[in-house]
Amino acid sequence: MSAERWMYEGYEMVVGLEVHVELATATKLFSGSPNRFGDEPNTNIDPVTLGLPGALPVLNRHAVELAMRIGLALGCTVQSCTFARKNYFYPDMPKAYQISQYDRPLNADGVLELPDGSSVGIERAHLEEDTGKSSHLGGSGRIHGSEGSLIDFNRAGVPLVEIVSRPDITSPDQARLYASELRAILVAVGASDARMEEGSMRVDANVSIRLPGDPLGTRCEIKNVNSVRSLGRAIDYEARRQVAMIEAGESVRQETRHWDEGDGRTHTLRTKEDADDYRYFPEPDLVLVAPDAAWIDAVRAALPPLPSVRRRILADATGQEPDAESVMTVVERGQDGYVLAVAEVGGSAERALVHVKEAFAEAGNSPALPAASLAALTRMETEGRLTATQAKTVLAEMVEAGAGDPEAIAASHGFEAMDSSELESMVAAAIAADPEAWAKFCAGEGKAMGALVGHVMKASRGQADGKAVTAMLNARRDS
Ligand code: MN
């Protein structure tokens, strides 16, 4: 999986991503109200959340620690930092400012290495509070054309980390890889559940285009991208739109645009604010946060292995490449430990990887089926007593029940043990029965093999392992 460089009409794209991620704390960033998704609206609130006069923020230490985990996992420098007020009016932000970080973010200057070998610089990863959530009734769900609006303040004050990449991304594929890899890291370090569909991870893309060698073009920011797949589509659409404008002699206006999944286009939301428009100033109600070396070292030492390392370990154990689809998928689901456990109790890691990828999509990161049961199944396969297809059938029953003895299930299906000498004699019989096919096969006509395999399958009533038969035919021809 390598990201191809994007080019259109001679232009290249320049993309930087801003990812907001909700931290998995028990309480909010500056108050004791629960940080919980899906509760009855306006129940997780308090004077700080609502921005009532005189209410003062108290910083959540665990939020700082989770933000440090993110920074350290991205190779950032963790530094002493300050909070700032970012002023703007929005109905779901009761104070009319957001407490964020500005000139002194907690984490600065990191890098995210992608599975395809490319890397993307991280400018900063700072702490800030989330806003409330507006719902617009009637119409499309957007404010335009709606009949009324409701505001839920449960989300206001939820701790966020905003991760800002450098404009190093050059294709929609690379943007997708970045978002999935970042998501995997956030989940691995326990900082967030990072669910794009629930909004606990939100990706905005700054997109511009230029002729190679030219200075950076004017960028547009795309919001409302709800999946990794839409991210790629939105960036591709937006870059083509900008190329068409330039080619028509127009110029690109700096603005915030909304991605519409339905029509597959971006639409103007508002002309873009610059940092000046937010009138940032230091938050007078919070002091400097200065994590000492001992705290930073303790957080670094407690970081679990990151997805890139786990992919390499799984790849080595299973004879795959670290960016093979099965390796990527299983690590992303957090099931790599399970595959390794199967190998540890005497199973085949290679077969376990295939089964876990195909049959454990819904199993979560600690599948109910004991590792020993899957290990026993993979041994039956490697010993040639079950074909891949038969193993799949047996496994489906084991997964369904969450347990089971593969020997007994195989027997109940009549998947009889067929040892290799039995198979050898069936192969010999097939050759004897169809000498013409055998002659053609020996003369290099690969197609003739099908007839011979067919004989064996028929004789074994479908019990023979097609791969083993093929290997035997090849061996006989070559001997
Ligand atoms: Mn932000």
Side-chain angles (χ1 to χ4, degrees), residues 18-20 86 88 98 100 126 128-129 160-162 204 223 280:
E18 293 176 9
V19 175
H20 284 86
K86 181 180 183 181
Y88 60 100
Q98 176 191 29
S100 180
H126 67 254
E128 62 185 27
E129 58 179 341
L160 296 177
V161 166
E162 178 177 340
D204 302 331
K223 291 202 173 282
Y280 278 101

Coordinates of all heavy atoms in Angstrom, one line a residue, residues 18-20 86 88 98 100 126 128-129 160-162 204 223 280, ligand 1:
E18 N -5.7 18.9 10.2 CA -5.9 19.3 11.6 C -6.9 18.3 12.1 O -8.0 18.2 11.6 CB -6.5 20.7 11.7 CG -5.6 21.8 11.2 CD -6.2 23.2 11.2 OE1 -7.3 23.3 11.8 OE2 -5.6 24.1 10.7
V19 N -6.5 17.5 13.1 CA -7.3 16.5 13.7 C -7.7 16.8 15.1 O -6.8 17.1 15.9 CB -6.6 15.1 13.6 CG1 -7.4 14.0 14.3 CG2 -6.3 14.7 12.2
H20 N -9.0 16.9 15.4 CA -9.4 17.1 16.8 C -9.8 15.7 17.3 O -10.6 15.0 16.7 CB -10.6 18.0 16.8 CG -10.3 19.5 16.6 ND1 -10.2 20.0 15.3 CD2 -10.0 20.5 17.5 CE1 -9.9 21.3 15.5 NE2 -9.8 21.6 16.7
K86 N -9.5 31.9 22.7 CA -9.7 32.1 21.3 C -11.1 32.6 21.1 O -12.1 31.9 21.4 CB -9.5 30.7 20.6 CG -9.7 30.8 19.1 CD -9.6 29.3 18.5 CE -9.7 29.3 17.0 NZ -9.5 28.0 16.4
Y88 N -14.5 33.9 19.6 CA -15.4 34.0 18.5 C -16.8 33.7 19.1 O -16.9 33.0 20.1 CB -15.0 33.1 17.3 CG -14.9 31.6 17.6 CD1 -16.0 30.8 17.2 CD2 -13.8 31.1 18.2 CE1 -15.9 29.4 17.4 CE2 -13.7 29.7 18.4 CZ -14.7 28.9 18.0 OH -14.6 27.5 18.2
Q98 N -13.1 30.1 23.3 CA -12.7 28.8 23.6 C -11.4 28.8 24.3 O -10.5 29.6 23.9 CB -12.6 28.0 22.3 CG -12.1 26.6 22.4 CD -11.7 26.0 21.0 OE1 -11.3 26.7 20.1 NE2 -11.8 24.7 20.9
S100 N -8.0 27.5 24.6 CA -7.1 26.7 23.8 C -5.7 27.0 24.1 O -5.4 27.6 25.1 CB -7.4 27.0 22.3 OG -6.7 26.2 21.4
H126 N -1.9 20.4 20.6 CA -2.3 21.2 21.8 C -3.6 20.8 22.4 O -4.4 20.1 21.8 CB -2.2 22.7 21.4 CG -3.3 23.1 20.5 ND1 -3.1 23.4 19.2 CD2 -4.7 23.3 20.7 CE1 -4.2 23.8 18.6 NE2 -5.2 23.7 19.5
E128 N -7.2 21.7 24.2 CA -8.3 22.8 24.2 C -9.6 22.1 24.6 O -9.7 20.9 24.7 CB -8.4 23.4 22.8 CG -8.8 22.5 21.6 CD -8.8 23.2 20.3 OE1 -8.0 24.2 20.1 OE2 -9.5 22.8 19.4
E129 N -10.6 23.0 24.8 CA -11.9 22.4 25.2 C -12.8 22.3 24.0 O -12.7 23.1 23.0 CB -12.6 23.3 26.2 CG -12.8 24.7 25.8 CD -13.4 25.6 26.9 OE1 -14.0 25.0 27.8 OE2 -13.3 26.8 26.8
L160 N -10.0 18.1 24.4 CA -9.6 17.8 23.0 C -8.1 18.0 22.9 O -7.5 18.8 23.6 CB -10.2 18.8 22.0 CG -11.7 18.8 21.8 CD1 -12.0 19.9 20.8 CD2 -12.2 17.5 21.3
V161 N -7.5 17.2 22.0 CA -6.2 17.5 21.5 C -6.3 17.8 20.0 O -7.0 17.0 19.3 CB -5.2 16.4 21.8 CG1 -3.9 16.6 21.0 CG2 -4.8 16.3 23.3
E162 N -5.8 18.9 19.6 CA -5.8 19.2 18.2 C -4.4 19.0 17.7 O -3.4 19.6 18.1 CB -6.2 20.7 17.9 CG -6.1 21.1 16.4 CD -6.6 22.5 16.1 OE1 -7.3 23.1 16.9 OE2 -6.2 23.0 15.0
D204 N -10.1 17.9 9.7 CA -10.3 19.0 8.7 C -9.0 19.0 7.8 O -7.9 18.8 8.3 CB -10.3 20.4 9.5 CG -11.5 20.4 10.5 OD1 -12.5 19.7 10.2 OD2 -11.3 21.1 11.5
K223 N -14.2 21.0 6.1 CA -14.8 20.5 7.3 C -15.8 19.4 7.1 O -16.2 19.3 5.9 CB -15.4 21.6 8.2 CG -14.4 22.6 8.7 CD -14.9 23.4 9.9 CE -13.8 24.3 10.5 NZ -12.9 23.5 11.3
Y280 N -6.6 36.3 20.0 CA -6.0 35.4 21.1 C -5.4 36.3 22.2 O -4.7 37.2 21.9 CB -4.9 34.5 20.5 CG -5.4 33.3 19.8 CD1 -5.4 33.3 18.4 CD2 -5.7 32.1 20.5 CE1 -5.8 32.1 17.7 CE2 -6.0 31.0 19.8 CZ -6.1 31.0 18.4 OH -6.4 29.8 17.7
Ligands
MN1 MN -9.2 23.6 17.4

